[in-house]
Amino acid sequence: MKRTDFYYDLPEELIAQHPLERRDGSRLLCLGRMDGQIAHRHFFDLPDLLRPGDLLVMNDSRVIPARLIGRKIPTGAQMEFLLLEQRDGDVWEILVRPGRKAPPGSRFSFGDGLLEGEILEVLDGGNRLARFYYEGSFFAVLDTIGAMPLPPYITEKLADKERYQTVYSRENGSAAAPTAGLHFTPELLDKVAKQGVDTAFVTLHVGLGTFRPVKADEITDHKMHAEHYTVSPETADRINRTKQAGGRVIAVGTTSCRTLESVMRDHGEIRACSGSTDIFIYPGYTFGVLDGLITNFHLPESTLIMLVSAFAGYDSTMEAYREAVEERYRFFSFGDSMLIL
């Protein structure tokens, strides 16, 4: 298939610039996986759309304030670091702007010296490896001096950094939020549990590679960036028990989906494990675990709309997106949601 097969026309004013005051007040487009039928609800209706024995699998990764503005030592030239992935201890893969001023051996200061970084290596593609020096806790320093790395299509300042976190986030490491989970509240999770629906957590630290545009004309020529994931013994057991009992496994977000399908692809079963995944899911893929998916509305020609098209069917997905535009849904990270069952 061609990249252009996944294009749709999106008016700029439908790109959500800020979260709704009420997390679960977002709209919910319900799409039938088998029949392509569309219904319009709200996210707070979710408990009524699930059934006892279902299992929601959520990504508990927490976004770190990964954007750092600092100065080069000793010239004072302004630099921007974006933390992408923790490699080993205090060594991180980073994106640097402007890159020409960050050769190996160069050092930088952030937060009036609270944090210093040294470039170790330039990687293929232009990213860097950097080692950081600080006192105390690295993540505590980041909370003090770092900024949330909001996507470039969000131009408004975020008043409350927690609104770019899910209410169940706990594992530091993502450069972007697993946004399908932003709609949940503690109260909604309680209602889901009272419906007899179970929950389980995986961790996939979201890197910017997930959101890199597909530049190849043929989508099969696109290469995904690897991201680190973990599946606990408890989560593996809940998934397997749900499947054995005839319940539905519903991924909250494309990151949870990619984690589960990667484990099944690599091991032939769902089991406790950790690793890196560069799985690229597009139409023609056969799902081994998922029975349902909760996801936001994604950018045209992105790998994420390709994943949704693989799960719901290409024609149904593109028709759902056309209707969402017509019905004035809010799009992307702070936008509305889809439930595919």
Side-chain angles (χ1 to χ4, degrees):
M1 301 185 76
K2 301 288 187 182
R3 180 190 73 246
T4 51
D5 291 334
F6 298 90
Y7 177 80
Y8 66 93
D9 189 32
L10 179 68
E12 187 174 347
E13 65 268 20
L14 296 186
I15 299 173
Q17 291 297 316
H18 54 81
L20 295 178
E21 183 175 346
R22 177 177 173 179
R23 282 181 183 258
D24 63 357
S26 55
R27 297 168 73 185
L28 180 66
L29 187 150
C30 302
L31 177 61
R33 190 182 180 197
M34 294 296 104
D35 59 13
Q37 291 296 305
I38 294 172
H40 302 287
R41 305 288 291 268
H42 285 87
F43 204 84
F44 52 69
D45 295 322
L46 181 66
D48 299 330
L49 303 171
L50 304 176
R51 62 193 187 206
D54 286 345
L55 175 69
L56 294 177
V57 181
M58 305 171 167
N59 182 6
D60 64 5
S61 184
R62 185 168 177 82
V63 186
I64 60 175
R67 186 169 175 260
L68 296 166
I69 304 296
R71 300 285 179 180
K72 187 174 184 179
I73 301 173
T75 66
Q78 182 170 299
M79 298 293 296
E80 177 181 345
F81 279 20
L82 186 62
L83 307 181
L84 299 179
E85 181 183 354
Q86 187 174 20
R87 288 294 193 90
D88 181 22
D90 294 323
V91 176
W92 285 73
E93 182 177 347
I94 64 171
L95 182 67
V96 181
R97 296 191 185 100
R100 67 182 184 279
K101 294 184 179 179
S106 54
R107 293 179 68 96
F108 303 87
S109 175
F110 306 92
D112 294 325
L114 285 177
L115 182 69
E116 289 192 6
E118 179 186 7
I119 303 298
L120 303 179
E121 181 183 346
V122 179
L123 304 174
D124 291 343
N127 290 352
R128 266 74 168 163
L129 290 183
R131 184 184 302 278
F132 290 97
Y133 304 90
Y134 54 92
E135 291 185 3
S137 163
F138 179 72
F139 291 110
V141 172
L142 278 188
D143 282 338
T144 300
I145 66 174
M148 281 297 185
L150 294 177
Y153 49 76
I154 295 177
T155 58
E156 293 186 11
K157 186 175 181 180
L158 182 63
D160 178 4
K161 290 195 293 187
E162 282 302 307
R163 292 305 308 272
Y164 197 54
Q165 306 279 13
T166 64
V167 297
Y168 47 78
S169 64
R170 56 190 176 191
E171 300 292 338
N172 283 317
S174 278
T179 55
L182 295 179
H183 308 279
F184 283 91
T185 66
E187 295 77 16
L188 185 64
L189 289 170
D190 286 343
K191 290 180 181 178
V192 164
K194 288 176 182 176
Q195 287 285 95
V197 176
D198 203 358
T199 55
F201 297 95
V202 297
T203 302
L204 183 138
H205 292 315
V206 186
L208 296 185
T210 297
F211 305 99
R212 281 180 178 160
V214 177
K215 296 181 178 178
D217 291 332
E218 296 283 347
I219 65 172
T220 52
D221 292 334
H222 178 71
K223 174 65 176 174
M224 294 286 285
H225 184 79
E227 296 166 314
H228 184 76
Y229 70 84
T230 301
V231 177
S232 69
E234 179 183 14
T235 291
D237 182 59
R238 288 188 179 189
I239 292 170
N240 289 323
R241 283 193 285 110
T242 298
K243 292 298 243 184
Q244 290 164 6
R248 298 180 297 185
V249 173
I250 301 166
V252 177
T254 57
T255 57
S256 299
C257 165
R258 293 177 64 243
T259 299
L260 298 183
E261 292 298 325
S262 294
V263 174
M264 179 62 76
R265 177 196 66 178
D266 294 343
H267 301 287
E269 61 179 352
I270 295 297
R271 67 186 193 189
C273 57
S274 295
S276 291
T277 179
D278 62 356
I279 192 170
F280 180 17
I281 297 175
Y282 51 85
Y285 177 86
T286 301
F287 287 82
V289 186
L290 253 61
D291 302 297
L293 177 66
I294 296 172
T295 186
N296 280 16
F297 291 93
H298 305 293
L299 275 73
E301 300 183 353
S302 65
T303 61
L304 302 180
I305 192 174
M306 294 172 190
L307 182 153
V308 174
S309 297
F311 187 70
Y314 173 80
D315 291 336
S316 294
T317 298
M318 301 310 291
E319 178 58 32
Y321 269 69
R322 282 191 289 271
E323 184 155 333
V325 170
E326 186 175 312
E327 295 292 327
R328 309 292 291 177
Y329 273 67
R330 302 166 77 245
F331 279 68
F332 305 163
S333 295
F334 288 140
D336 294 317
S337 186
M338 295 180 70
L339 170 65
I340 307 168
L341 286 173

